[in-house]
Amino acid sequence: MSKLVDSAAAAVAAVARDGMTVAVGGFGLSGNPTSLITALRDTGVRDLTIVSNNMGVDGKGLGLLLENKQVSKVLASYVGENRLFAQQYLDGLLDVEFVPQGTLAERLRAGGAGIPAFYTPTGVGTPVAEGKPVAEFDGVTAVLERGIVADLALVRAHQADLEGNLRYRLTARNFNPLVATAGRITIAECDVVGALDPDDVHTPGIYVQHLVRGDIHDKNIEQRTVRSRVDA
């Protein structure tokens, strides 16, 4: 049965609601599901908790949701490229939970694998561990971290088949495979819909409920640095 939906707008509008936890793939702007983020913005839903490695940049990626004041809480590893994020945090409009990058990856993986929690030494003795149980394993202190299961997961793939099997391209793979497994409902946007060799599947279609063709193809770059070529 085909999981292909006519548009990102239709796929997101059918499931979006106020107060959702939404996990979003990408690293910086690489691998962002831009069409799905734009569709989520256009629904106007509010009070969202966003789980993502970062919050895009001003006016791009997840920065669109911040501009529209749709986000109330963020779980992320890095937010340094977004001035609006910083301003909303300082103004008390955003609740922020900083998560070490490896811990965030494992929390998403654990949630997708049905593992409710795990111990890690990362963050012990820092504010990251405050209020969390700790235990000692072979002389190493570790903190308990909860797996993340999101109401909705939005991911970007390069290629997909009609059953929702996904293949990512190069570094756009980043957090997308982890996010895809961690959603109760997962929507994937892709560039190409067609047959996939089983050896090329990065995310099995069992994790994907809806598939759309991405309709925004801009390749945004956070920081463009240009210098003159130096002859060898």
Side-chain angles (χ1 to χ4, degrees):
M1 181 179 296
S2 174
K3 297 179 179 179
L4 187 63
V5 180
D6 288 340
S7 69
V12 174
V15 297
R17 66 178 187 275
D18 292 345
M20 295 184 88
T21 295
V22 184
V24 184
F27 189 101
L29 297 177
S30 175
N32 271 191
T34 308
S35 299
L36 294 172
I37 293 171
T38 302
L40 183 60
R41 179 201 62 186
D42 293 345
T43 66
V45 294
R46 303 284 170 179
D47 194 29
L48 298 175
T49 295
I50 300 295
V51 182
S52 186
N53 179 67
N54 60 287
M55 287 298 292
V57 301
D58 294 290
K60 297 178 182 178
L62 289 167
L64 297 175
L65 302 182
L66 292 174
E67 283 187 344
N68 216 28
K69 297 184 178 178
Q70 293 173 264
V71 183
S72 60
K73 183 175 181 179
V74 172
L75 283 75
S77 293
Y78 175 70
V79 294
E81 302 296 331
N82 197 309
R83 293 185 182 88
L84 183 58
F85 176 97
Q87 190 60 56
Q88 290 188 5
Y89 174 64
L90 293 173
D91 290 344
L93 301 176
L94 279 180
D95 181 13
V96 179
E97 180 180 344
F98 286 108
V99 186
Q101 193 169 90
T103 301
L104 180 62
E106 183 61 12
R107 289 181 68 183
L108 289 164
R109 191 202 68 82
I115 298 171
F118 61 92
Y119 279 98
T120 174
T122 303
V124 171
T126 75
V128 168
E130 290 180 1
K132 299 174 182 177
V134 296
E136 188 172 299
F137 300 90
D138 301 322
V140 177
T141 303
V143 60
L144 187 68
E145 295 283 1
R146 296 291 303 271
I148 294 174
V149 179
D151 299 306
L152 177 63
L154 306 178
V155 300
R156 172 67 179 264
H158 174 61
Q159 188 174 357
D161 61 21
L162 293 176
E163 290 74 33
N165 296 299
L166 306 179
R167 184 180 189 279
Y168 308 98
R169 182 177 183 272
L170 304 176
T171 57
R173 190 168 178 174
N174 51 59
F175 271 81
N176 278 298
L178 300 169
V179 168
T181 67
R184 292 187 175 93
I185 297 173
T186 294
I187 306 175
E189 71 173 75
C190 65
D191 299 316
V192 179
V193 178
L196 273 176
D197 187 285
D199 283 339
D200 286 338
V201 172
H202 295 152
T203 294
I206 193 171
Y207 291 109
V208 178
Q209 281 68 51
H210 306 293
L211 176 69
V212 303
R213 288 186 174 91
D215 53 12
I216 298 175
H217 303 290
D218 295 336
K219 301 294 185 182
N220 293 310
I221 299 173
E222 291 100 312
Q223 298 181 19
R224 185 184 299 274
T225 302
V226 180
R227 66 181 180 183
S228 300
R229 182 183 297 273
V230 178
D231 294 332

